[in-house]
Structure formats: C-alpha cells, structure tokens
Amino acid sequence: PPQICESDNCQGAGGGTVLPLFGAGEQEWPNGLRIVLYLLGLAWCFMGVALISDVFMAAIETITSQETTVELCVAGTDEKRKFRVRLWNDTVANLTLMALGSSAPEILLSCIELISNNFYAGALGPSTIVGSASFNLLGITAVCVMAIPKGESRIVEGKAVFAITSISSIFAYFWLLIILVFVSPNRVEIWEGFLTFIMFPVLVIMAFAA
C-alpha cells in the first residue's frame, strides 16, 4: 500500500510522538478505515480540549471576579465610605490569566513536541502558536468589528492600553523575524529566549501603568 507520509517515520517501527497508535502494522490497514478512526479520535480530542478549556476559563473568571471592600474619602469632605472594588486589574487579568487560558492548548502542544524532539522545533508547535496568534489578532478582531449592529458604533475607552498591546502584538512578529532570520538563523539562543520572556512582564507593567 502507498505510504501515508514521506518522512522516515513511515519506515520500520516509525511513528511520531503519539501516532501511529497501533504501531508499524497500521500502515497495512485500508486508508478509508484509518481516515474514519482518526477523524473520530480527532473529534474526541476536540471535545476533551473544549471541556478542559471551559473548566479552566470558568476558574479564571472566578478568580478575576473576586472583590474586596475599601474605605475611601469622599471628595471635599472627611467622610469615609466603603466601596467594593475588584482585586484584579482588568488589563492585567486579560494579559495574563485570560491569555494563558485561551492559549494553553497550543503552548502545551509546543512544549510536548519540543521536549520529545530533543529540543529541536518541529513543524507543529511553532506553527500552531504563530497561527493562533495571527488568528487572534486578525480574525477575532474582524469578527468583533463586523458583529456591531448597523447604525451603532463602539468606542475604545483605554486607548493607551489598546495602543500598547496593538504595537506589541505587531512587534512580536518582527522580533521573531529578527532573531530567527538575521541574528541566529534557524536557531534560538538562550539569551534570545530569555529576552523574549522578559518582554512579557514589561508589556504587562506598561499596560497597567497606562
């Protein structure tokens, strides 16, 4: 029978990190049967990711919705009143917990592939992260704009925060291009990874300050 893939994984025992599930003998199975089985397995995995993501996001919403009571002086008087305020700043929560919750599947996928591949990047992990980020930046933004009813408009209240996050999102792609093409082609140095990681808390601090 024809080989399903063209890499060395199809020869001998072969296989990727998880697949083929039934060893090298699976290559002898009819392609139609394998397609049906893998589609069912893919649907089952999607359902599992959806359930876990729902639980994870619900937990994050519970954490970020917590409130506390503070006493503040009323302007122009010495009178103090109690107010209910959120423990989490909305900007910090969106850039940290919410972003982690929505990006957790592709981050874990990339880490699993990287560790199992002796810290050589595969074709799946980096593409998944970059593709997901591109979709979030372009696709979701477009859908949010198109969802506004005709004749209505929306205003961005935190323009400074919006500007910082937008510029940072676009800069991230240029930064990857710089380090992977010009500074150290096809290789990520330790200092590059460390510097890239440090940029995240800097972004959170700048957005919080704005």
Side-chain angles (χ1 to χ4, degrees):
Q3 297 290 342
I4 301 302
C5 62
E6 299 177 356
S7 65
D8 294 337
N9 289 337
C10 292
Q11 302 174 1
T17 304
V18 177
L19 305 177
L21 293 174
F22 303 98
E26 185 181 317
Q27 300 292 335
E28 305 295 330
W29 295 6
N31 289 341
L33 175 62
R34 298 183 68 195
I35 290 173
V36 172
L37 291 177
Y38 276 93
L39 284 177
L40 291 175
L42 187 63
W44 182 79
C45 290
F46 282 156
M47 291 178 60
V49 171
L51 291 174
I52 295 174
S53 298
D54 285 342
V55 174
F56 193 72
M57 293 301 295
I60 291 176
E61 290 178 359
T62 302
I63 295 174
T64 56
S65 63
Q66 292 181 352
E67 296 180 345
T68 186
T69 303
V70 297
E71 289 187 353
L72 299 175
C73 293
V74 179
T77 65
D78 293 333
E79 180 184 0
K80 289 187 177 181
R81 291 185 180 180
K82 294 183 178 181
F83 297 91
R84 299 282 297 179
V85 296
R86 289 188 176 184
L87 289 174
W88 278 83
N89 178 272
D90 290 338
T91 299
V92 175
N94 288 332
L95 290 176
T96 54
L97 295 179
M98 292 297 181
L100 176 62
S102 61
S103 302
E106 56 261 34
I107 292 175
L108 292 175
L109 178 64
S110 180
C111 290
I112 292 173
E113 183 187 46
L114 188 65
I115 294 174
S116 62
N117 203 27
N118 295 324
F119 286 88
Y120 285 93
L124 187 60
S127 301
T128 303
I129 293 179
V130 174
S132 174
S134 301
F135 179 79
N136 293 341
L137 180 64
L138 303 175
I140 294 180
T141 302
V143 171
C144 291
V145 173
M146 294 176 61
I148 299 176
K150 186 177 181 180
E152 298 185 11
S153 61
R154 299 291 186 271
I155 298 176
V156 178
E157 294 182 354
K159 291 183 175 61
V161 176
F162 179 77
I164 291 174
T165 53
S166 300
I167 294 173
S168 300
S169 299
I170 297 174
F171 169 76
Y173 292 100
F174 286 101
W175 172 248
L176 289 177
L177 181 66
I178 291 172
I179 63 176
L180 295 178
V181 176
F182 299 104
V183 178
S184 56
N186 300 322
R187 182 184 180 92
V188 179
E189 303 288 347
I190 295 179
W191 69 269
E192 293 172 342
F194 178 77
L195 184 59
T196 304
F197 181 79
I198 291 297
M199 290 181 183
F200 177 69
V202 172
L203 168 62
V204 175
I205 293 174
M206 290 176 58
F208 176 76

